[in-house]
Structure formats: structure tokens, C-alpha cells
Amino acid sequence: MSNEKQIEIFQRALDRERKARKQAEKILEEKSLELFTVTQQLKSTNSDLKELVRQKKSELKGVFENINDAFVLIDLSGDVLKMNDAAIEMFGYNHKEETVNLMKLLHPDDFEYTVEAFKGLLKKGSYTKYRSRIISKNKTVKFVEVNSSLVYDKQGVAIAAQGIARDITQEIAIQELLEEQKKQFNIIFENSPIGISLSRQNEKGLLFVNKSLCKMLGYSVEEFQNKQVQDTTHPDDEEMSRLHREKLFRGDIDSFTLEKRYIKKNGEILWAKTIVTAVRGTKEEIKFQVATIEDIGKEKLAKEKLIASENRLATLILNLDSGVLLEDENRKLILANKKFCEFFNVTLPPEKIIGYDCSVATSNKKNLFEDPELFESRVNSIVSKREVFLADELKMKDGKILERDFIPIFNNENVYKGHLSTYRDVTLNKKYRESLEAQKQKYSNIIANINLGLVEVDINNKILLVNQTFVNMSGFSEKEMIGKNSKKFFSRKEEKTFIDKKKEDRKQGISDSYEFKFTNRWGQERYWLVSGAPNYDLKGNIIGSIGVLLDITDNKILEFQKESLLKKLRESNEELEEYAHIVSHDLKSPLRSISALTSWLKEDYENVLEKEGIVNLNLIEETVEKMENLINDILNYSSINNSLSVIENVSVCEVVNHIKSLIFIPNHVEVIVDEKLPVIKADKTRIQQLFQNLMGNAVNYIDKEKGIVEVSYVEEKEAYIFSIKDNGVGIPKEYHQKIFNIFQSLGNHKDSTGIGLSIVKKIVDMYDGDIWLESEQGIGTTFFIKLRK
Amino acid sequence: MKGIVFTEFLEMVEATFGLETVDYIINESNLKSEGVYTSVGTYDFIEMVNLITNLSSKVNIPVDTLIYEYGKYFFGVLIKSHPKIFDVYNSPIDLLSSVESHIHVHVRKIYPEAELPTFEILEQTKDSIQMLYKSERAMYMFAQALIEKTFEHYHDMAKVSLEKLNEKGTKVKFTIEKVYE
């Protein structure tokens, strides 16, 4: 490379360097100038600031004097050196007028605290937020808050303290009030039955949660510090909850209410009504979220029940045995049920005919009815009248009879909103009613024509019903009796009281029969057999009574006649008995005379009279004796009457043995007596008559060479059966009954009067006993007597 | 672009290829500044592009290699003028991870108008760092040289690999792994 070229290159490089230096110098110059300008600005700002500081200082001085807060300067013993107007007003003392020592104004309770605070002030040089009570000149206690600092001399020794005091009495009071309110709020918060929670936006966990919520969800307050309420949301409700929360965050809404489910800690589901409210700050941002959660498990359950009951009701209506039709005010069909469709031959199901025009339908269906035009015009007329029509009877062509209730519907403002028609098939009812009517007619006829009087009275004895027979019996007309008190028709006082008594019986539910004497309209006394019974209503309450009456006056008269006849009979019996006595007695004395005279005749004229005469006399004597026996027997018989005058202990054995000695017993006859014969209760004389007759007969009718008469007995539970057995002639079968009749004698025994067995029978009857016999002709007879113990 | 980049570049060219080559590339580049640079001034980046392109054709060395070499050279300048920066960090990875958050912050205090590349840290462990280089200047080779030199300075070795995320090279991913001998 040539030198020239090299020089050229250097020249250019040098040139560039120079230009670069100048350029750099220029840049530096510019920077210097910039620096200078900035310095100048700084200087002026500095002096401005100095002036400002000076001004502020003097301003501050003025502020100190006129400061609203109290300013006090004290020496280290507490004496006030300086105080501003506010301080004078606060303390009530003026240091210019008297020596004021702040320590002396202190509330005694705050003394120690103040000493400690003052020590702190001396140590640190300042003390803030000193709070104590002072007592001002007018003895009021004030809370003051003091910020103080020490004042030093030039050598740095503390010589005084200055402080700004603020009266915070009211502040304290407000604070206390706030605390009180907070406490109250906490009580409400804690004891609210509704769960409440407070959370800060974008922070995990709850700031506050109350007991109710903890209890509802089963988590403790501590557990909720890491958990939001929404974390316990039921998975199925999460989406819904999230959408609402997002709206809240976006600011679309300020609060939302949800009915949703939570999962409790124990896994159970809680139905709750949740209200979440956003608390927004000044920039509309959400600061807090307040959630209130109300357990609606029960309400939910109730709601479900309501729905279920509505469903049931709907099903009920659908399946009701009445046809139901609901129309709106424009005659559009709102609701109909199955039965309605059935009645009106509607083939569509009830839900498919909703919205049909019912006026058209009426016209379409009118031919189902017997009188189509009447049906249609009637429907149109009652719809237009808007009144209640009940039990309208509609005859259908197929013979069915429907009953229709028409009920217009008005809302609360009394505006017509449509109507409800219900249809019932009353065909059967109607037939039933007709047959019931026929039955009733039948029984009415029976009652009217029965030969028994019938009367129905209510509980107050008012006559409700009488039949024709009763009218005939009483003589009063139906018109006269109905509605009247039955007592009115009784003329005698005892009738009335008797009826009152019966009325009471009926009220007790007693039914009975009784005879009743009634004086009829014409004053005739009539005897009625009354059968009375209480009458009940359907619920079983007594509403009166019914009496059935039979006129027994004729029977009654017959009865009276019978009684009087009996009386007469008794009297004539007595007379007869007396007569028998007298007759017997009177008859006996001539007999005795005959007997005596005959005996005398025999004695005196025995030699005169021939053998034949003696025989005749003997015959006379025998006949007289027989006559006497006959008379005695008659007397005995007639003296046995039904009066059981004497009842005593009778030893049958003794009686029988005594009889053995009384009666004549031939040598060929042996009488065997059971020595164990019992003692019975009876009249001794009668028992003797009884056995004497039977034993006498037994002995008398012996025809064998060796006669045996046996007296024995058998004991039964309630009776003794005595037997008298002989081996005599026996009694033919045909006489077994006859022999007990009076004057019946079989043989011609000299002593037989034919009365003996009648007496026996009469005595046995008297003791309510029984007598019968077993006999075989030629072998013997056994009489049995059964006497009750 | 800061003047110091130009002055140091020309000094390197002069030291490596001679003043004649400096003169040649300035004349060939038809520069607005006429090749007059002072380290405190600011100049158009296009001038640097022209200078390097012309140098590349003159000395027949690829542009990337030239930039890479200039980076190595420039690291020496930084050591000389700001030695204290290197005392602050204990390791090259420490330093690299602080380029964006610390070193460039200080650079901006001195040169408010400086247009600096960004180094976004994608991954960092004790022994490796992955950074995303972003600059309209696309001087990633310059950056690579500085990174390698940094390791050298701390007497460490590293494997530096780069992945161009676009053709121009305005977005490049650097993966740097420390190598133990």
C-alpha cells in the first residue's frame, strides 16, 4: 500500500476522531448545561422550602395557642407552666389564676399508672396514648388521652414536659356502647336458630360461623377455618350454586336465595334455604359474603307431603264415582274426570279434552238425553244465570238417571271465573227409593190395620204417631192426639204419675209390658196390655218411645168373674164341711141310741127272742156299726182340707207300731214292720190315718192261710218311698185308678165303707206326694207312697 | 445503538484487520454518521449491520462468526469498565439469571434510551439454566459469546446450545449446562 494511500486513510481516521471528539464535547456541553439548569432549579426550590418551613413554624405557634386540643406544659413536679384555652376549659383550672398541679387532678385509681407512665416518659423522652381519668374543677370525671414529650434545656437536661390532651370521655362511652352492641350482636349471632357465616372474598375459611351452623352441618368452628360452607354442597346442587356465586362476583346481583342440599359431616343430607349476600366496598368490589342457612328439612318434607296429597287428590278426582266437569268463564273445559267421560260417552281420556268448547260439546252430546232440546236449553240457562242449582235430574235415553249439581265459581273480587258441574248416576238410588216407598206403604198398611194399638211419643211424651186401632181404642181422633202430650188424655191422677214413671224407664232404655187401666173418651174403663220400648235414632240416642197396646178388657172381666166364683166355691165348701160335721154328729147320736137300744133289747129279751130274732138284732148291730164307720170316715174325709195346720216330727215307726196295736189282726196274719222307718215332718194324725187305712185294708183282704203284711221304705235323695205289701187277693188292673175315688169298694168286707183309699189319696195330695200300686190278683198288692222329706 | 458498540467494534476491526479494513468498510457502508462515533453517543443500528456485512464480504468470514468474535472481544471491555459487577455474583449461572433483573436495571439508569434484549428464564437449577433471548437485533451470537466468556471468567465450563425459535433469530432459546471436568 502506498504511503499516499496510507496518509489518506490516516487523514480520514484522524478526521473522524476529531469529529468524534467534537461530537463528544458537544454532548458533554449539553449535559453540563442540563446540570446547571437543574442546580439552579434545586436552589430556588430549596429557598422556597426554607420560606415554607418558616411560615409553617409561625403558623404552628399560632396553632398551639388556638389548638382545639388541650395543650399543657408542666414542670417535672406536675405544676402547670403553660396551658391553652382548650386545656383551661377541659380542666376547669387556669394556671394564671392559681397553681395547678396535674397530679392532684388525677383520679386516685389512675395514680400508680400515671407514675409509671411518667417514668417511661423520662426514660424515652416521649410517651404516647397515655390514658387516664382526671377530675375537673366542677368534679366531673373525664377520660383524657395524652401524647407527651420532654422539653430539654440547651445542655440536654429535661426541664419540663409538654402534652396534648384530648377529652375521650365520649369516645370511651361510644366504645363501650359499641362493645355492648357487639356483645348483643354476638348473642344474637350465636343463638340464632338460623346458621350464619361470614367469609372474606378470596380467602379460605370462614371469619365467623355461629353455633347453629356448626350444629346443622356437624363441623366445628375450627374445621370451618379451612372450609367454606359451599364446600359441603351436595354434588347435585353444585352447578346451580356455582352459577349463582359467579353472578354475585360479576356484580349482576347483590344476593341470592337458594333451596339446596348440603352434606353433613356425618354424611347425612341437609335441606336448607341459603341466602348469600355480598358486602361491597367503595369500588363495588366484594369485601365479605354473608350466608344465612336455614334448615328447611321439615318444610321440605311438608311440601313433599303437600304435593303427594295434591297428587292423591287429583287421582281421587280422576277416579271419583261422580262425573266432574270444570269450565272457565268462556266455557272452555279446564278439568274432567274418567266418570264424566264415561257418562257422556267421551272416548278420549280426560286430559285430552282440556280446552274443549263446552257449549259445542253440550250440543254434540244432547242426543244422549231423553229430551235433547230441554237438556241443551237447561244447560245454557243455568250457565247464564250463574246460580247454584243442586240435584237437577237428567233422564238419559238408555234409562240412566243422572243428578247434576251446578256450582258457579267466583274469585275473591267476586268475578265469575267459571263453574263446576258434578254428575251422579242415581238410577239405582232412585229405584231403591221407590222400592223403599213401597215397603213403607206396606208396613204402614199393616200398622194401620193391625188389631193392636200403636202409639209413638217423643222424649217429652208428645204424640207423634197413632194408628187406626189406637184411635178406635181411645176414642180420640188422630187429629186430636198428634202433637199433644199423652198425659192430656189420662183423666185420673194415678194414670198420669204411672205414665211419668214409665217415661223415666224408657229414658233408661228399659222396655217392659204392663197392664194399664185407661178411661176412654166416653168415660168407659178399659184394660190395656201395654208393651213399651224406647225408640232410638240412627246414632243410638233415645228419642222417645213406642207403645203397642192390646185391649184386654174382656179377658179382665172374665178373670174377675172367675175370682168371684172361686170365692163362692170356697164359701160353699166351708159350709159343706160344717154341714158334714153337724150331719155326722147328728147322725151319730141316733145311731148310738139305736146301738144302745138294740143292745138293751138283746139283753132284756134274749130269752124271748128266738134264734132268728137274735140274728136280726146282731145284724142291726153290725149295720149300725158299719153306719158309724161310714159316718166317721165321711167326717174324716171332709175334715181333711188343704190347710196343713200342724207340722211336727213324726216317727213313722212309732205310728205304724201303734196302729198294729189298734187294729184287729187275726192270728194267721203277721205284720212285719221295718224298725228303721224314718222320722218325717207332718201332722201325726194324718200319717196315722194314712197308714191305718192302708194297713187295715192289707190285713182285711188276706185270703191265704198264712197272711203276711210288710211295712218298709226306701230313701231317695229328696223323698221317702214307703211301701205296704200284702199277700192278699190282689186288685185287678182296671181298678188301679178307680179305687182312689170315694165310695169305691172292691170287696164286701164288713168294715169297708169305700172311703178309706179316698182319704189316703187326699192326704197324699195334701203333702204333695204320690201314691201308686203294684198288684197281681191272687198273689198280693203293694201300695207305694212317696212323701217329700 | 450505543456508541460504545461502534467504537469498540471499529477498534477490534482495526486491531484484527488493520486500519485499512476499517477505512474500507466505512467507505463501503455509506453511513449517515460518516463513521464518526463517540462512545457516549447513540447511532442507528442499521449502520452496524452495514459495517458487519461489508466486513464479512471483505474478510470472507460469516457474519455470525464475526458477531460471535465481537462478543468475546466486548466481554473484555465490560470486565475493564465494570469489574465490580462480577464480584457481586458467586457463579456464572447466578450472574446470567440476574441479567434481566439486576444488570439491565442498572444499565437503564446510566443509559435511559438503551434498547436492551430481554432474557426470560425458563428453567434454572444449580447447574443449568434455560433462557429465552428476545431482541429485534437478532444478535444471539453476541449473547452466546458473552455467556461463554462469563463461564470462562469464573473458571467454569459450560455447554451452551441454542435453538432459534424463528428464522430471523429474534427469539432464541439458550440451554446452558455446567460441565464438570
Side-chain angles (χ1 to χ4, degrees), chain A residues 406-587:
Chain A
F406 176 88
I407 299 152
I409 299 161
F410 297 92
N411 69 3
N412 291 339
E413 281 86 42
N414 215 24
V415 177
Y416 175 71
K417 297 303 286 179
H419 57 261
L420 176 76
S421 318
T422 57
Y423 294 86
R424 281 180 307 281
D425 186 343
V426 293
T427 320
L428 269 180
N429 288 15
K430 195 139 173 82
K431 281 182 184 159
Y432 181 72
R433 216 181 303 155
E434 279 165 3
S435 110
L436 203 66
E437 201 64 47
Q439 292 280 334
K440 198 177 165 190
Q441 196 59 46
K442 184 170 130 193
Y443 285 108
S444 295
N445 283 337
I446 292 172
I447 288 168
N449 297 312
I450 201 165
N451 198 22
L452 291 166
L454 193 97
V455 60
E456 185 186 341
V457 296
D458 70 6
I459 200 120
N460 298 315
N461 265 348
K462 201 163 88 178
I463 296 170
L464 301 174
L465 179 144
V466 293
N467 68 349
Q468 189 52 45
T469 310
F470 186 75
V471 170
N472 297 341
M473 280 164 74
S474 65
F476 297 101
S477 74
E478 190 175 340
K479 210 173 153 192
E480 279 173 302
M481 286 188 283
I482 296 292
K484 307 278 167 52
N485 192 317
S486 62
K487 275 209 277 187
K488 192 170 172 281
F489 301 98
F490 303 126
S491 45
R492 294 180 307 139
K493 198 185 166 197
E494 50 267 42
E495 288 170 0
K496 291 183 187 192
T497 46
F498 185 74
I499 276 302
D500 279 340
K501 191 198 163 288
K502 287 294 159 196
K503 191 175 97 180
E504 291 310 309
D505 282 354
R506 298 292 167 265
K507 281 182 185 168
Q508 305 289 318
I510 300 169
S511 54
D512 61 1
S513 301
Y514 51 89
E515 275 180 26
F516 182 67
K517 197 159 81 178
F518 181 78
T519 313
N520 71 8
R521 177 170 215 162
W522 303 285
Q524 294 166 332
E525 278 191 352
R526 303 298 292 180
Y527 291 90
W528 290 347
L529 179 65
V530 182
S531 182
N535 193 17
Y536 299 93
D537 66 7
L538 292 175
K539 289 173 191 157
N541 301 318
I542 295 173
I543 51 162
S545 60
I546 295 174
V548 179
L549 305 97
L550 178 65
D551 192 326
I552 51 163
T553 312
D554 295 344
N555 301 32
K556 207 70 191 166
I557 288 165
L558 281 174
E559 201 176 299
F560 289 145
Q561 283 173 351
K562 192 180 98 189
E563 265 171 28
S564 91
L565 273 175
L566 270 174
K567 201 181 163 197
K568 278 181 195 164
L569 196 63
R570 204 159 37 240
E571 282 167 4
S572 65
N573 267 356
E574 276 166 18
E575 276 170 25
L576 203 63
E577 210 169 296
E578 213 169 314
Y579 172 76
H581 267 282
I582 294 163
V583 168
S584 314
H585 195 264
D586 288 358
L587 284 173

Side-chain angles (χ1 to χ4, degrees), chain A residues 103 106-120 127-133 144-146:
Chain A
M103 296 305 273
L106 269 179
H107 191 284
D109 292 353
D110 290 342
F111 192 80
E112 256 178 66
Y113 159 68
T114 306
V115 169
E116 286 303 310
F118 205 75
K119 277 182 193 165
Y127 198 93
T128 52
K129 296 222 169 187
Y130 156 81
R131 280 183 171 206
S132 73
R133 282 160 290 177
V144 291
E145 186 180 282
V146 182

Side-chain angles (χ1 to χ4, degrees), chain A residues 89-111:
Chain A
E89 199 189 320
M90 184 193 281
F91 294 109
Y93 296 98
N94 190 339
H95 70 296
K96 286 173 189 163
E97 289 161 9
E98 55 193 314
T99 310
V100 184
N101 189 302
L102 289 189
M103 296 305 273
K104 287 177 184 160
L105 304 184
L106 269 179
H107 191 284
D109 292 353
D110 290 342
F111 192 80

Side-chain angles (χ1 to χ4, degrees), chain A residues 1 5 8-10 12-13 15-16 19-20 23-24 27, chain B residues 19-20 22-23 26-27 34-38 40-41 43:
Chain A
M1 189 173 56
K5 175 120 185 197
E8 232 174 86
I9 292 167
F10 283 138
R12 280 202 289 273
D15 199 25
R16 286 199 301 270
K19 278 181 181 165
Q23 209 178 65
I27 291 168
Chain B
L19 189 59
E20 198 186 349
V22 175
D23 191 65
I26 288 172
N27 287 336
E34 294 172 340
V36 176
Y37 301 108
T38 161
V40 291
Y43 308 93

